[in-house]
Amino acid sequence: MKVKWIILCLLIYGTAFYSSLHVYSRQSVTESAEDAGKLLPVKIKYVRDVHTTKDIQGWIKEARENGETISIAGMQHSQGGHTLYPNGTLLNMTGYSKILKFNPLDKKITVQSGVTWADIQEKINPYGLSVKVMQSQNIFTVGGSLSVNVHGRDIRYGSLIDSVDSFRLLTPDGTIINVSHKENSDLFPYVIGGYGLFGVILDVTLELAEDELYQHRSGEMDYSDYENYFKEKVKQDDSVKMHLARISVAPETFLREMYVTDYVLADQQDKKEKHSELKEEQIIALPKFMLGVSRYSDWGKDLLWETQKEYFLKNNGKYETRNNVMRSDSGFMEYENPNRTEVLQEYFVPVDQFAEYITDIRAILEREDLNLLNITIRYVGHDEDAVLSYATDDMFALVLLINQGRAKQDIEQTERVLQKLIDVTLDHDGSYYLPYYSYPSDKQLKRAYPRIEEFFDKKREFDPEERFKNLFYERYGK
């Protein structure tokens, strides 16, 4: 009898030990993760590679049962922790990438959210169709682009929310709902531009445009002439469909000299067949080298600016399809350094305040230490469909590329300078873009986005257990 009790105790102890070991090992599984900014490395408990809807539903159920959090990632080019949350489950959506339905006659396509814009271009280009709105590069996922409500070079279609027909959302309780302007319409302006805080965007139906042929019209000018040029030569000319500008960050011409490229509708019959093939990746060794030199010297910045300007002006008169304009190569910007990184900031300023704004930010940047590598300028028309709209007027968007250190003192130094720039931007009735590192203060966030509390309240109402979280929400939503 005594032996039986000993055996039973051993069995109970062994079972308990195995269970506790299993739980411990399950809890201690961690993996390092970071976004493209490389300033917010975190330990993630699980990274789940998504392939099916059933996968996601299972992991949401598991997270609910265990009281865990979920964050959602595509290409992770948002740089403010929007795809990360410590000790939670990260859904890697890049494998959830099927094109589900394509109707060329209706000019619509339905895709899973892990599909890239490049995937869509490959599918629709043979049919003479193009995307309406996307970033200047095509490497990003559709779901990620919706989550930040992107805009691009197109000046006629607005931000991405305007070209979304509908989408399916996997909610925090694991159910799937359809969202459109007619169905669950109250969620539409929250989820698009919602930074993954309302659930998982499963698949999206997008409206498409004609893949038109454009001719480049390039020129250079002083910054003080740009506002009138845009109003008279670009905005009022219906034949101009897309637009891009850059302003110099080179010491010799700092924030004074500009060059512009307008994409003007060309003769579709004569030229389109010769240019419709999608361009492949170009040689990037030289621009990559020159950008590298500009990171560490003023003469390198001067050289890069003159070379870039000469290249774009030389392309004056060049023909290019809409799909190829939206196929820019960003490979030359890839940057690996154990002690430094490159971050983006994007500021929006009303068109009629551009010259005064540039004068004011130049006064700050000429006396501050900020390694500014590039400023690209785009246009986005007034569009307040999204709750967190950044285009409360007709705006110029200035995209800043900044090289900085990763150490605490470097982050604090960049924060100090950028908060000054943001104050100037807000004083000019402007705003800033939310997908980047959380340098702005709480006060600046509320000035730029007066509906931010409404946004966070809706998130907590829709997701009361706060199942979906990220570092952006942790920083500002609490």
Side-chain angles (χ1 to χ4, degrees), residues 211-454:
D211 183 30
E212 302 166 324
L213 182 68
Y214 303 139
Q215 187 172 26
H216 290 212
R217 185 177 71 193
S218 300
E220 57 183 319
M221 65 190 67
D222 186 82
Y223 80 100
S224 60
D225 298 324
Y226 179 58
E227 178 185 319
N228 285 335
Y229 172 85
F230 183 83
K231 288 179 178 178
E232 297 172 7
K233 303 294 185 183
V234 178
K235 188 69 186 303
Q236 293 182 14
D237 185 349
D238 291 339
S239 68
V240 180
K241 302 298 185 180
M242 306 180 83
H243 175 79
L244 176 71
R246 283 197 173 92
I247 188 167
S248 171
V249 297
E252 290 185 3
T253 53
F254 187 68
L255 294 189
R256 295 185 184 277
E257 194 170 85
M258 296 182 64
Y259 65 81
V260 302
T261 297
D262 307 323
Y263 300 86
V264 184
L265 197 64
D267 188 324
Q268 304 299 300
Q269 298 300 320
D270 292 345
K271 300 290 184 179
K272 191 170 182 181
E273 288 185 6
K274 300 178 183 178
H275 301 276
S276 60
E277 185 177 347
L278 291 178
K279 67 183 181 183
E280 299 301 324
E281 189 172 298
Q282 301 174 356
I283 297 173
I284 61 173
L286 181 58
K288 191 176 181 73
F289 169 77
M290 296 185 68
L291 180 60
V293 172
S294 76
R295 290 181 175 111
Y296 304 107
S297 68
D298 285 348
W299 71 265
K301 287 181 171 61
D302 287 325
L303 177 62
L304 178 62
W305 171 252
E306 290 301 322
T307 304
Q308 282 182 322
K309 184 176 66 172
E310 181 182 351
Y311 172 78
F312 273 85
L313 294 178
K314 187 173 67 175
N315 280 334
N316 189 39
K318 174 184 174 182
Y319 290 95
E320 195 170 19
T321 62
R322 181 183 181 87
N323 274 331
N324 280 326
V325 172
M326 294 177 165
R327 207 170 170 80
S328 300
D329 189 358
S330 60
F332 75 95
M333 293 175 58
E334 293 174 357
Y335 178 62
E336 292 294 334
N337 185 306
N339 302 312
R340 303 189 68 80
T341 188
E342 287 178 356
V343 300
L344 294 171
Q345 289 281 292
E346 185 167 353
Y347 305 138
F348 301 89
V349 65
V351 169
D352 59 6
Q353 297 198 44
F354 177 78
E356 293 179 9
Y357 174 69
I358 293 297
T359 299
D360 288 347
I361 64 170
R362 186 193 307 113
I364 294 173
L365 290 170
E366 283 182 335
R367 63 175 182 263
E368 295 288 354
D369 182 19
L370 187 73
N371 192 6
L372 189 57
L373 302 181
N374 185 71
I375 300 180
T376 300
I377 300 171
R378 304 186 185 98
Y379 167 82
V380 57
H382 178 212
D383 188 348
E384 296 189 64
D385 286 345
V387 172
L388 298 184
S389 171
Y390 44 77
T392 54
D393 200 340
D394 289 349
M395 300 281 204
F396 284 131
L398 288 82
V399 185
L400 284 64
L401 177 65
I402 301 160
N403 183 279
Q404 68 163 83
R406 299 191 199 183
K408 181 181 178 182
Q409 63 268 26
D410 297 315
I411 294 173
E412 291 173 348
Q413 162 67 8
T414 302
E415 178 177 82
R416 185 181 63 80
V417 177
L418 294 185
Q419 287 192 356
K420 289 184 178 182
L421 294 181
I422 293 169
D423 278 339
V424 171
T425 304
L426 295 171
D427 288 343
H428 281 276
D429 302 318
S431 183
Y432 66 89
Y433 202 19
L434 293 174
Y436 302 125
Y437 192 79
S438 56
Y439 286 122
S441 67
D442 290 3
K443 182 179 178 181
Q444 289 174 328
L445 173 65
K446 290 176 182 178
R447 281 188 67 190
Y449 292 90
R451 298 180 68 184
I452 189 67
E453 291 302 331
E454 173 192 340

Side-chain angles (χ1 to χ4, degrees), residues 45-280:
K45 187 175 288 187
Y46 304 110
V47 176
R48 305 293 200 186
D49 294 328
V50 174
H51 297 285
T52 69
T53 304
K54 187 177 179 180
D55 290 342
I56 312 174
Q57 288 179 304
W59 292 322
I60 289 179
K61 180 181 178 183
E62 182 180 300
R64 290 177 63 207
E65 290 173 349
N66 296 311
E68 294 174 348
T69 59
I70 294 173
S71 57
I72 310 166
M75 301 303 290
Q76 292 191 281
H77 277 259
S78 297
Q79 299 182 349
H82 304 77
T83 62
L84 303 168
Y85 196 75
N87 301 314
T89 296
L90 185 150
L91 301 181
N92 172 20
M93 301 296 293
T94 56
Y96 192 69
S97 55
K98 292 180 180 178
I99 294 176
L100 302 176
K101 185 179 180 182
F102 173 44
N103 191 327
L105 294 178
D106 288 346
K107 295 183 183 178
K108 289 183 179 180
I109 190 167
T110 303
V111 300
Q112 291 181 328
S113 57
V115 161
T116 66
W117 296 108
D119 296 331
I120 294 179
Q121 288 180 325
E122 294 283 351
K123 180 70 175 180
I124 67 178
N125 188 68
Y127 296 87
L129 295 174
S130 175
V131 171
K132 280 188 174 181
V133 179
M134 56 175 271
Q135 301 95 318
S136 292
Q137 284 81 35
N138 64 2
I139 63 172
F140 307 109
T141 64
V142 171
S145 298
L146 259 70
S147 293
V148 302
N149 190 27
V150 299
H151 67 96
R153 297 187 188 186
D154 184 274
I155 64 171
R156 305 297 174 187
Y157 286 124
S159 50
L160 182 56
I161 192 172
D162 293 331
S163 61
V164 177
D165 181 82
S166 62
F167 58 88
R168 289 196 310 152
L169 181 72
L170 184 55
T171 67
D173 65 7
T175 60
I176 297 174
I177 61 174
N178 296 313
V179 182
S180 68
H181 289 293
K182 296 180 179 180
E183 195 172 3
N184 295 302
S185 58
D186 61 314
L187 288 172
F188 198 86
Y190 287 94
V191 179
I192 300 179
Y195 299 91
L197 293 172
F198 289 82
V200 183
I201 297 173
L202 295 176
D203 44 64
V204 187
T205 298
L206 297 165
E207 298 170 358
L208 302 174
E210 293 289 331
D211 183 30
E212 302 166 324
L213 182 68
Y214 303 139
Q215 187 172 26
H216 290 212
R217 185 177 71 193
S218 300
E220 57 183 319
M221 65 190 67
D222 186 82
Y223 80 100
S224 60
D225 298 324
Y226 179 58
E227 178 185 319
N228 285 335
Y229 172 85
F230 183 83
K231 288 179 178 178
E232 297 172 7
K233 303 294 185 183
V234 178
K235 188 69 186 303
Q236 293 182 14
D237 185 349
D238 291 339
S239 68
V240 180
K241 302 298 185 180
M242 306 180 83
H243 175 79
L244 176 71
R246 283 197 173 92
I247 188 167
S248 171
V249 297
E252 290 185 3
T253 53
F254 187 68
L255 294 189
R256 295 185 184 277
E257 194 170 85
M258 296 182 64
Y259 65 81
V260 302
T261 297
D262 307 323
Y263 300 86
V264 184
L265 197 64
D267 188 324
Q268 304 299 300
Q269 298 300 320
D270 292 345
K271 300 290 184 179
K272 191 170 182 181
E273 288 185 6
K274 300 178 183 178
H275 301 276
S276 60
E277 185 177 347
L278 291 178
K279 67 183 181 183
E280 299 301 324

Side-chain angles (χ1 to χ4, degrees), residues 2-18:
K2 187 175 181 180
V3 173
K4 289 182 179 180
W5 273 109
I6 293 174
I7 293 173
L8 180 61
C9 289
L10 286 173
L11 285 172
I12 294 172
Y13 174 78
T15 301
F17 178 77
Y18 174 79

